[in-house]
Amino acid sequence: MYIDSHCHLDSKEFAAQMPAVLERMRAAAVSHALCINVSLESFGALAELVKAHDNLYATVGVHPEDREAQEPTLERLCELAADPKVLGIGETGLDYYWHKEEVPGALDWQRERFRVHIRAARQTGKPLVVHTRNAAADTLRLLDEEGASPARGGPGGVMHCFTEDSATAEAALGLGFYISFSGIVTFKNAAALRDVAARVPADRLLIETDAPYLAPAPYRGKTNEPSYVPYVAAELARVRQVDVATIAAQTTENFCRLFGSR
């Protein structure tokens, strides 16, 4: 069995076909999926979705790309995270690709939002789901400064849709974080990423789709969905020189260890 550790099933792409999406999950042996929240405005609908399905769970958070979103407070994040179907805090982190710091301090809003999420994760004990793009150094710095590492009493978490280099992976692992790979690892131009994937310790490995985005080969360019996560597992099995059943079992075990539910 597989678990999709990061998807967005509340996206409009799935609104009219949820029963079919869930059936395709079942047929592909994808037992559970973690549905990732990206704004407080959308949390209510996401919470209703996961409550309606025993094999779906949620997170709560505000994505770093969204400058206009309702700003989360520590109190509000902790309040929403009290829902037993909420397993983590995020999607949070830093994104300097869409938001470039052309003036020093221009991205202080993004860094402060990230700090609030880390504090909520520490207070609730629920792991972080971290997005980082063109911001690896600052992402790692803030995780360290705010004590996100389990070694410092933090909850740890996962670096989702990992696309960084081996040094960043090693630093994240040093903070006690897991590394999750998406369909990007199957892309022809992702040789460097596959090298990283080959070296991540087995007990820190997760798989995801990030659906509806980033469909793996052979579905690249199409709408992604949780039933495609076995393609990610198959590529990891190939580069790590193990059978795919080993990847399925290990990533399922890792998900349950990190998020404490299945």
Side-chain angles (χ1 to χ4, degrees):
M1 302 295 284
Y2 305 90
I3 294 180
D4 185 351
S5 70
H6 190 115
C7 61
H8 301 275
L9 290 185
D10 57 334
S11 297
K12 64 181 185 301
E13 288 86 347
F14 303 118
Q17 55 169 325
M18 189 57 61
V21 169
L22 295 173
E23 174 55 27
R24 289 192 290 270
M25 276 180 61
R26 186 200 64 77
V30 182
S31 62
H32 296 76
L34 184 59
C35 302
I36 305 299
N37 185 218
V38 296
S39 72
L40 296 181
E41 293 88 339
S42 65
F43 179 79
L46 178 60
E48 290 301 314
L49 172 65
V50 301
K51 286 175 184 176
H53 303 284
D54 290 342
N55 63 335
L56 301 182
Y57 292 91
T59 65
V60 60
V62 180
H63 199 286
E65 286 182 13
D66 193 346
R67 181 69 175 92
E68 305 304 319
Q70 179 183 339
E71 203 61 43
T73 64
L74 175 61
E75 295 74 19
R76 184 61 172 153
L77 288 174
C78 292
E79 175 189 356
L80 295 175
D83 186 325
K85 294 219 73 176
V86 173
L87 302 187
I89 303 296
E91 180 170 355
T92 184
L94 299 174
D95 193 307
Y96 295 172
Y97 178 82
W98 293 110
H99 299 282
K100 297 177 174 61
E101 190 159 27
E102 296 174 354
V103 178
L107 295 185
D108 283 349
W109 66 270
Q110 199 177 101
R111 290 184 280 269
E112 181 57 27
R113 179 185 290 178
F114 188 23
R115 289 185 187 275
V116 169
H117 282 80
I118 300 170
R119 293 165 190 168
R122 283 184 58 92
Q123 187 162 316
T124 62
K126 296 190 175 185
L128 288 154
V129 176
V130 177
H131 167 110
T132 184
R133 192 171 185 189
N134 290 13
D138 276 0
T139 299
L140 294 166
R141 176 176 61 83
L142 266 61
L143 288 170
D144 185 45
E145 288 179 0
E146 293 290 336
S149 169
R152 296 180 56 192
V158 56
M159 307 297 285
H160 115 85
C161 192
F162 193 82
T163 56
E164 303 292 336
D165 59 18
S166 59
T168 302
E170 290 171 8
L173 291 165
L175 288 172
F177 274 66
Y178 291 65
I179 306 291
S180 180
F181 294 94
S182 70
I184 293 174
V185 78
T186 72
F187 295 177
K188 288 181 179 179
N189 62 351
L193 183 62
R194 286 188 284 274
D195 288 343
V196 176
R199 295 194 297 272
V200 171
D203 63 353
R204 298 287 193 86
L205 193 65
L206 290 176
I207 52 176
E208 65 173 90
T209 59
D210 204 9
Y213 317 107
L214 303 174
Y219 298 102
R220 187 173 182 182
K222 300 183 182 300
T223 299
N224 202 2
E225 59 179 76
S227 63
Y228 294 166
V229 81
Y231 290 93
V232 179
E235 185 62 18
L236 292 180
R238 187 186 70 81
V239 302
R240 295 171 70 86
Q241 299 183 329
V242 299
D243 60 77
V244 72
T246 297
I247 297 294
Q250 185 70 67
T251 55
T252 295
E253 178 183 338
N254 294 347
F255 180 93
C256 296
R257 185 189 317 113
L258 177 61
F259 290 104
S261 185
R262 183 162 78 93

